[in-house]
């Protein structure tokens, strides 16, 4: 019986190790229980870059209410390198196209949108990069946002 339990434990550890190593994505999620993205709510992601001069895309996923009252969300992205060099990039996340169609994938009142907010960013050093994404909306909060997620591919 003890031998069987040890085999199961060893098998579970091996499977989880294999699954962990199969992904090269780092991901961070921020949820908003009151459906409000306050300016003080910063989406933070620590990305461990293992290859010098690695180009990667920073992707933002947003879950929001269908019929969002704004066509775009102003964002600022701060990337701090392992040597503490800070890069600031402004980005406007478009939710509606020029024909007034939702860009998100919507079902009922819920929409999901995935967008590359920084394309081919050069992670020039090995180590941990700190990525922070915040909204620069003019009011205290951005309404009708359920959650955000960021990842590096």
């Amino acid at each position: 019986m003890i031998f069987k339990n040890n085999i199961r434990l060893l098998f579970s550890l091996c499977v989880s190790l294999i699954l962990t190593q199969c992904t090269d994505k780092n991901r961070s999620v921020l949820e908003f229980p009151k459906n409000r993205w306050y300016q003080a709510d910063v989406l933070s992601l620590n990305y461990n870059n293992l290859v010098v001069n690695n180009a990667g895309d920073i992707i933002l996923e947003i879950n929001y209410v269908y019929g969002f009252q704004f066509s775009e969300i102003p964002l600022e992205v701060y990337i701090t390198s392992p040597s503490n060099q800070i890069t600031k990039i402004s980005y406007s996340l478009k939710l509606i196209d020029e024909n007034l169609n939702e860009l998100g994938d919507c079902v009922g009142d819920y929409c999901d949108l995935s967008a590359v907010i920084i394309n081919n960013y050069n992670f020039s050093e090995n180590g941990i990069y700190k990525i922070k994404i915040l909204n620069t909306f003019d009011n205290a909060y951005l309404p009708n946002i359920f959650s955000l997620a960021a990842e590096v591919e």
Side-chain angles (χ1 to χ4, degrees):
M1 184 69 176
I2 293 174
F3 180 72
K4 275 187 175 181
N5 287 338
N6 287 341
I7 295 285
R8 286 183 191 152
L9 178 62
L10 182 61
F11 178 74
S12 296
L13 288 173
C14 289
V15 167
S16 65
L17 181 62
I18 289 169
L19 290 177
T20 301
Q21 291 180 347
C22 285
T23 180
D24 60 351
K25 296 179 184 177
N26 286 336
R27 183 175 172 85
S28 180
V29 176
L30 185 61
E31 295 182 354
F32 307 108
K34 295 183 180 180
N35 302 339
R36 295 177 177 175
W37 183 9
Y38 288 92
Q39 285 189 346
D41 295 329
V42 177
L43 177 60
S44 298
L45 171 65
N46 290 333
Y47 172 64
N48 188 10
N49 186 49
L50 302 175
V51 180
V52 174
N53 292 324
N54 180 28
D57 295 336
I58 299 175
I59 298 169
L60 180 69
E61 295 174 6
I62 183 169
N63 308 102
Y64 62 97
V65 174
Y66 175 79
F68 197 72
Q69 58 266 50
F70 307 104
S71 61
E72 58 189 31
I73 301 172
L75 304 173
E76 284 184 356
V77 181
Y78 293 88
I79 304 171
T80 305
S81 71
S83 62
N84 293 318
Q85 298 296 316
I86 300 173
T87 303
K88 174 187 165 189
I89 300 169
S90 296
Y91 183 82
S92 184
L93 179 65
K94 298 196 183 311
L95 302 175
I96 299 173
D97 68 14
E98 60 276 351
N99 297 321
L100 303 178
N101 295 317
E102 293 277 347
L103 293 174
D105 182 21
C106 301
V107 176
D109 289 338
Y110 300 95
C111 296
D112 299 323
L113 176 66
S114 180
V116 175
I117 59 172
I118 299 176
N119 191 24
N120 289 325
Y121 183 82
N122 183 24
F123 294 98
S124 60
E125 304 172 40
N126 285 339
I128 304 292
Y129 280 80
K130 296 176 184 172
I131 301 168
K132 298 193 180 298
I133 302 170
L134 55 121
N135 84 66
T136 55
F137 185 65
D138 287 336
N139 295 325
Y141 65 86
L142 194 59
N144 299 323
I145 305 291
F146 299 118
S147 66
L148 298 171
E151 66 182 332
V152 176
E153 283 189 345

